[in-house]
Amino acid sequence: MEQFVPAGRSLSVCRRLCYAVGHFLNDLCASMWFTYLLVFLHSVLGFESTYAGEMLLIGQIADGVCTPLVGYESDRTAGVCGKRKTWHLLGTVCVIISFPFIFNPCLACNSNTPTWAQLVYFSPFIIVFQFGWAATQISHLSLIPELVSSESDKVELTAYRYAFTVVANITVYTVAWLLFHFQSRHSMDPSITDSLGPVDIPLFRTLALIVLGTGALFSLIFHVGTKEDASGPARDDRLITASPSQEALPRPVFQWKQWLKEPSFYQMAFLYMCTRLIVNLSQTYISFYLISSLLLPKNFIATIPLVMYVSGFVCSLAMKPLSKLIGISITYLIGLFLVFGFAAWVLADKHMGAESVYGAAVLLGTGSATILVMSLSMTATLIGEQTQSGAFVYGSMSFTDKVANGLGVILIQSIRPCSTEACCPACVWFYRDVMVTVTGGVAVAALLCLFTTVIWPIRIRTS
């Protein structure tokens, strides 16, 4: 008797694009969250650095806790739109109703309101936003191994997804640059300078509303154009009928407890955590590095991230053929070397000029894009045909990422030389050291983990 193998799954270009835009709202909000939240709270609203870090930590912990729980529930429950798309829709609604309040001053507060009371005010909105973000992220990622089956198709679909992540970031930074440009060119207010302050509150409010309107439109496109195959997991559970000389064995179906026994599960979790630390913390502190260490005008917090993500977008176009030619791990290694190049440049050039910073931004942008796409592709490869528990795996990976990023931010904020001033002489070197550590230092840890995959490849070992 011949061996039965499930037919390969593939998607048309139109359906790939419809799938890829499903995370666009999340990406737009994440771009503002990581790039501008600390700047908005500290430099615009005047929060102390520790309080600003605590608010980001609250969000990261909420996201980290919600992510594996959402993944577990997504794997075991069905919904009216499909078990993945139902959670995606719920998450989208939560993001839309909560995000506008985060980039606005406390509506019930005045100049005498203590900071801790504002922290209490913002916390529920942050928690609802992070729950929604987690639900959308995990349900969207979990669709990858269900929509396509081959490794190259998973890399390609992940690259499509990341391409729109880059487009989302480009959109945020372009709109932010236009708003800064319009503010400086057309405002007659003498209080508007090249430094951030309370006068910039309307700018960030407008940016948040534009983000939500644009993201909601693309979420609608995703739900209309993406068809979730309800028979996918059942197909993965079929028996493999071996040849007459072999005993017929059932294909093992993994549940969450079995993943916890897999060494590759922990390898992948650590590698993904390191990847996200590099990407997210560099995105969070690049603005402070530009305005506090390099003393550049505030419009650079839009133009430099824009250069980073344009570079990442161009890089993402070559990822599928490159990874197919040399392998996912080697492609990830190349991305790490680019990140090392950025760290070395920042360390060596203490007084980097406005021209040089663009070149460094290209290195960081291409390196970050490469390692992020390849780490997601490795995760999809690890899951393989175990799509029925894929959301739990992605949720667990994201849990390590969210908690590590939150703890990293609160640690950096707590050791910041000054807590209230937008910039002091000690901060000039502090933020340069932060950028070197969160890129070069964490990249060393990622490199060591990558080497372990040579000895113990990323795959399911339980028979």
Side-chain angles (χ1 to χ4, degrees):
M1 186 181 294
E2 295 182 356
Q3 182 179 4
F4 174 82
V5 180
R9 289 159 287 171
S10 187
L11 295 177
S12 65
V13 173
C14 181
R15 289 192 65 188
R16 291 175 194 174
L17 292 173
C18 287
Y19 165 80
V21 301
H23 206 252
F24 200 69
L25 173 62
N26 261 23
D27 291 328
L28 290 168
C29 294
S31 179
M32 282 197 67
W33 173 266
F34 284 110
T35 308
Y36 295 135
L37 181 67
L38 290 183
V39 171
F40 177 73
L41 295 175
H42 183 67
S43 301
V44 178
L45 296 187
F47 280 40
E48 292 184 8
S49 59
T50 304
Y51 276 114
E54 286 174 356
M55 289 186 62
L56 194 143
L57 177 62
I58 288 171
Q60 294 304 105
I61 291 178
D63 194 355
V65 171
C66 291
T67 297
L69 295 178
V70 168
Y72 175 73
E73 288 298 326
S74 176
D75 285 332
R76 65 189 291 266
T77 59
V80 293
C81 304
K83 64 179 183 179
R84 308 304 186 194
K85 288 178 64 179
T86 298
W87 280 94
H88 187 284
L89 180 60
L90 174 63
T92 299
V93 172
C94 289
V95 168
I96 290 175
I97 64 175
S98 60
F99 192 72
F101 295 94
I102 298 174
F103 281 90
N104 266 305
C106 172
L107 298 179
C109 302
N110 54 45
S111 57
N112 297 322
T113 303
T115 305
W116 66 263
Q118 298 188 56
L119 186 66
V120 172
Y121 168 84
F122 280 109
S123 295
F125 297 114
I126 290 175
I127 292 171
V128 172
F129 163 66
Q130 291 293 0
F131 167 79
W133 202 97
T136 303
Q137 180 202 31
I138 297 308
S139 58
H140 194 255
L141 279 172
S142 302
L143 278 170
I144 293 178
E146 296 190 7
L147 294 175
V148 294
S149 55
S150 72
E151 183 173 321
S152 62
D153 283 340
K154 290 174 185 176
V155 172
E156 183 175 26
L157 202 57
T158 305
Y160 268 80
R161 182 181 185 275
Y162 184 76
F164 278 96
T165 298
V166 173
V167 172
N169 282 273
I170 290 173
T171 301
V172 169
Y173 300 135
T174 300
V175 173
W177 178 82
L178 290 173
L179 291 174
F180 279 124
H181 180 75
F182 179 83
Q183 181 194 63
S184 62
R185 291 283 182 175
H186 301 283
S187 178
M188 303 299 293
D189 189 345
S191 64
I192 294 178
T193 65
D194 282 337
S195 300
L196 290 167
V199 72
D200 296 302
I201 290 174
L203 187 148
F204 285 98
R205 180 191 301 125
T206 302
L207 181 59
L209 293 176
I210 292 173
V211 158
L212 287 177
T214 306
L217 175 61
F218 280 94
S219 293
L220 177 63
I221 294 173
F222 163 77
H223 278 278
V224 172
T226 302
K227 307 300 180 184
E228 183 175 345
D229 185 4
S231 64
R235 173 173 31 194
D236 293 334
D237 298 343
R238 293 177 180 173
L239 296 180
I240 299 176
T241 305
S243 62
S245 61
Q246 296 176 331
E247 184 181 354
L249 295 173
R251 175 176 296 163
V253 178
F254 267 44
Q255 301 303 326
W256 69 273
K257 293 180 181 179
Q258 292 164 290
W259 281 113
L260 298 180
K261 300 176 183 178
E262 282 294 324
S264 288
F265 178 82
Y266 298 99
Q267 283 178 290
M268 198 60 246
F270 185 80
L271 188 64
Y272 184 75
M273 180 190 72
C274 291
T275 301
R276 278 297 188 178
L277 280 171
I278 294 170
V279 174
N280 292 343
L281 290 184
S282 64
Q283 186 178 358
T284 299
Y285 285 100
I286 188 70
S287 296
F288 286 107
Y289 173 64
L290 294 170
I291 61 179
S292 298
S293 296
L294 301 183
L295 304 179
L296 295 172
K298 64 184 179 183
N299 65 296
F300 272 79
I301 70 174
T303 55
I304 295 303
L306 179 60
V307 170
M308 289 169 52
Y309 279 93
V310 168
S311 304
F313 177 75
V314 174
C315 176
S316 67
L317 300 177
M319 285 185 192
K320 182 184 178 181
L322 182 62
S323 64
K324 197 171 184 178
L325 180 65
I326 64 177
I328 295 177
S329 296
I330 300 300
T331 307
Y332 185 96
L333 181 62
I334 292 174
L336 278 183
F337 285 148
L338 293 173
V339 173
F340 278 127
F342 168 83
W345 195 337
V346 171
L347 183 63
D349 195 349
K350 297 182 179 180
H351 304 286
M352 190 181 299
E355 296 79 13
S356 299
V357 74
Y358 285 103
V362 170
L363 284 180
L364 182 59
T366 53
S368 297
T370 302
I371 62 176
L372 183 55
V373 172
M374 291 302 106
S375 65
L376 289 172
S377 299
M378 289 179 190
T379 306
T381 300
L382 173 64
I383 294 171
E385 294 297 324
Q386 300 292 341
T387 58
Q388 71 288 331
S389 56
F392 173 78
V393 176
Y394 281 117
S396 301
M397 303 295 125
S398 190
F399 172 78
T400 63
D401 138 46
K402 300 304 188 304
V403 174
N405 275 284
L407 293 177
V409 167
I410 197 64
L411 174 63
I412 293 170
Q413 293 298 103
S414 64
I415 63 175
R416 187 179 185 269
C418 56
S419 61
T420 57
E421 296 180 43
C423 180
C424 70
C427 290
V428 173
W429 304 115
F430 176 74
Y431 286 116
R432 189 203 67 162
D433 294 340
V434 166
M435 289 303 297
V436 172
T437 302
V438 302
T439 53
V442 179
V444 171
L447 182 62
L448 295 175
C449 183
L450 185 65
F451 284 154
T452 68
T453 66
V454 177
I455 304 172
W456 302 289
I458 300 290
R459 61 181 175 83
I460 296 175
R461 294 179 173 85
T462 303
S463 57

